[in-house]
Amino acid sequence: MAGLCAAARARELGASPVVFEKGTRPGGSMLLSSCVVWRYRSFDEFRAQCPGGDPRLQQLVHDRLDEALEWLEALGAPVVTRDTGNPLTTGVRFDPGRLTEALVRVAGELRLGEAVQASDGEPLLLATGGFQGDPGLVQRFVAPAAPLRLRANPWSAGDGLRTALDRGAARSEGLDEFYGRNMADVDFGEPGFVPLAQVYGRFARIFNEDGEEFVEGAEVSWSEVDLVQATARQPGARAWYLLGEEALDQRVRDRSVREIVAQAPTRTDPAELPFETPEDCVVAVRVAAAITHTIGGLRVDEGARVLHEDGSPLDGLYAAGADAGGISTGGYASGLAAALVLGRAAAETAAR
Ligand SMILES: Cc1cc2nc3c(=O)[nH]c(=O)nc-3n(C[C@H](O)[C@H](O)[C@H](O)COP(=O)(O)OP(=O)(O)OC[C@H]3O[C@@H](n4cnc5c(N)ncnc54)[C@H](O)[C@@H]3O)c2cc1C
């Protein structure tokens, strides 16, 4: 997302960017996403939801998202709906395939199957999508109790982070944080990314494999990112959701929890669990934490310039999207929105 947006904006500004795409197709995780590009309705809400994030970057995303969404529409990306379905947020849902097509059309030269390369003296934007695809980096920084399944494109493996750290770049806050989903605990590929997600933990009683209730469902945030991160630190990076009738009657967007649970391949009779379960529990679902993208990354300024450990900008080096960390630290905010706004900001700074 960030790289294509930056290239499209750079071309508008008269530059001739080249997009290096390591994968076999353009679009990255954006192409696989639900493609809701959103912000919190107020900046205060953003701060409250993501208290560890850099306020200057959060202000930038908050202030510049609406014009950036209009820009995407003007490029020919059709809007599917203007409702995020969440009263805390506002934004737009695109069709991911058609958004990718629209961006590719205007981004200029795209070299598929080629990893990012820089020529001396030319600006380089790192937009490789985070480091979730490198189990070693995930183990080092996120430190889950067991390997996490990947719920993202397979190519985002920390190339941007490594390139910049080699040049003395500073790391953002929140390198141990990630956005992901608790998924039915089975192996899955791209078609399972959305249907296997179990996003109703806030209505459940949540136990680990040792039978310890490690988090109160009622305390879980709306995005459930906190629950997913807590699950990643439990034995096997797994949990059991225990549900009674009242929980099954709750709704998540347009579906009841009952419908989602009925399709979960790991739903289980509570009597089969190796620990005592609450009396009112009628069904259990085994989930495992999966990682979509890292939240920590490189430290950047409002012009998307990568900062050196001493706080000065690194000459000609930019980062956007999940490579730029510290925006939603402590919570969750739209990764697509951050990629769009910082990608455009990188192109504008480089053009200047
Ligand atoms: C199932 C799913 C649902 C989601 N739903 C939403 C949603 O509704 N709203 C939302 O805001 N976010 C959502 N997301 C998250 C969103 O997709 C990401 O936050 C966003 O795509 C990040 O943008 P990016 O540009 O950093 O990375 P990407 O969009 O993943 O792009 C990174 C690109 O870099 C390429 N790359 C990696 N290494 C190299 C290299 N060395 N050289 C060249 N290219 C390289 C990758 O192949 C990839 O194409 C979802 C993600 C998934 C998987």
Side-chain angles (χ1 to χ4, degrees):
M1 173 72 160
L4 290 173
C5 292
R9 182 71 181 126
R11 279 240 300 179
E12 253 176 19
L13 297 171
S16 305
V18 179
V19 179
F20 292 91
E21 169 51 66
K22 183 179 166 185
T24 52
R25 61 180 185 224
S29 290
M30 181 248 289
L31 183 64
L32 308 171
S33 78
S34 309
C35 223
V36 186
V37 193
W38 56 270
R39 63 171 171 81
Y40 288 102
R41 284 191 183 273
S42 74
F43 181 66
D44 287 348
E45 187 66 45
F46 195 172
R47 290 292 305 144
Q49 292 279 344
C50 303
D54 181 333
R56 295 163 315 143
L57 299 178
Q58 292 178 336
Q59 190 79 59
L60 181 81
V61 174
H62 183 80
D63 292 349
R64 293 205 55 193
L65 182 64
D66 296 358
E67 69 178 85
L69 289 173
E70 283 172 21
W71 175 80
L72 280 184
E73 270 194 82
L75 294 182
V79 167
V80 176
T81 161
R82 293 181 196 280
D83 182 10
T84 62
N86 178 349
L88 290 174
T89 67
T90 175
V92 163
R93 182 181 195 137
F94 293 96
D95 174 90
R98 300 201 52 196
L99 176 56
T100 304
E101 274 167 30
L103 284 168
V104 167
R105 223 173 13 245
V106 290
E109 186 179 348
L110 171 67
R111 297 197 195 162
L112 274 187
E114 284 190 45
V116 66
Q117 286 169 28
S119 310
D120 279 349
E122 284 182 325
L124 173 65
L125 169 63
L126 302 169
T128 69
F131 61 86
Q132 60 279 354
D134 181 324
L137 285 176
V138 171
Q139 190 53 46
R140 176 175 165 202
F141 290 118
V142 178
L148 304 176
R149 289 193 183 98
L150 187 63
R151 182 179 176 266
N153 85 74
W155 302 291
S156 294
D159 296 350
L161 182 71
R162 273 189 294 266
T163 300
L165 292 182
D166 284 351
R167 296 197 194 175
R171 301 173 195 165
S172 75
E173 298 296 320
L175 271 155
D176 57 340
E177 296 182 27
F178 69 95
Y179 162 61
R181 289 288 180 223
N182 275 350
M183 309 285 284
D185 183 18
V186 289
D187 288 336
F188 55 81
E190 288 170 7
F193 284 2
V194 173
L196 289 173
Q198 309 296 306
V199 195
Y200 50 83
R202 58 198 180 279
F203 306 122
R205 301 275 303 266
I206 304 153
F207 292 72
N208 68 17
E209 290 193 322
D210 298 335
E212 290 160 10
E213 191 165 16
F214 64 92
V215 61
E216 294 268 338
E219 287 174 6
V220 169
S221 72
W222 70 269
S223 71
E224 305 203 356
V225 158
D226 47 351
L227 171 57
V228 180
Q229 292 180 19
T231 303
R233 284 160 184 122
Q234 299 305 308
R238 289 196 190 93
W240 285 100
Y241 288 174
L242 305 188
L243 300 130
E245 292 294 344
E246 206 179 310
L248 291 171
D249 287 338
Q250 300 289 335
R251 294 195 77 77
V252 179
R253 296 179 191 268
D254 53 347
R255 297 171 78 200
S256 70
V257 173
R258 196 179 300 278
E259 284 164 38
I260 305 170
V261 169
Q263 287 168 15
T266 53
R267 72 184 176 284
T268 304
D269 182 342
E272 289 175 19
L273 298 197
F275 54 87
E276 209 167 310
T277 56
E279 254 178 35
D280 62 350
C281 159
V282 295
V283 64
V285 179
R286 195 180 71 245
V287 297
I291 188 166
T292 299
H293 64 74
T294 39
I295 284 180
L298 298 165
R299 190 175 300 167
V300 300
D301 67 9
E302 299 98 308
R305 297 182 300 180
V306 176
L307 299 177
H308 188 268
E309 280 177 345
D310 67 12
S312 65
L314 279 162
D315 201 22
L317 195 62
Y318 304 82
D323 283 355
I327 298 176
S328 60
T329 316
Y332 175 56
S334 168
L336 292 171
L340 168 61
V341 170
L342 266 292
R344 276 167 48 92
E348 289 161 11
T349 317
R352 275 200 293 276

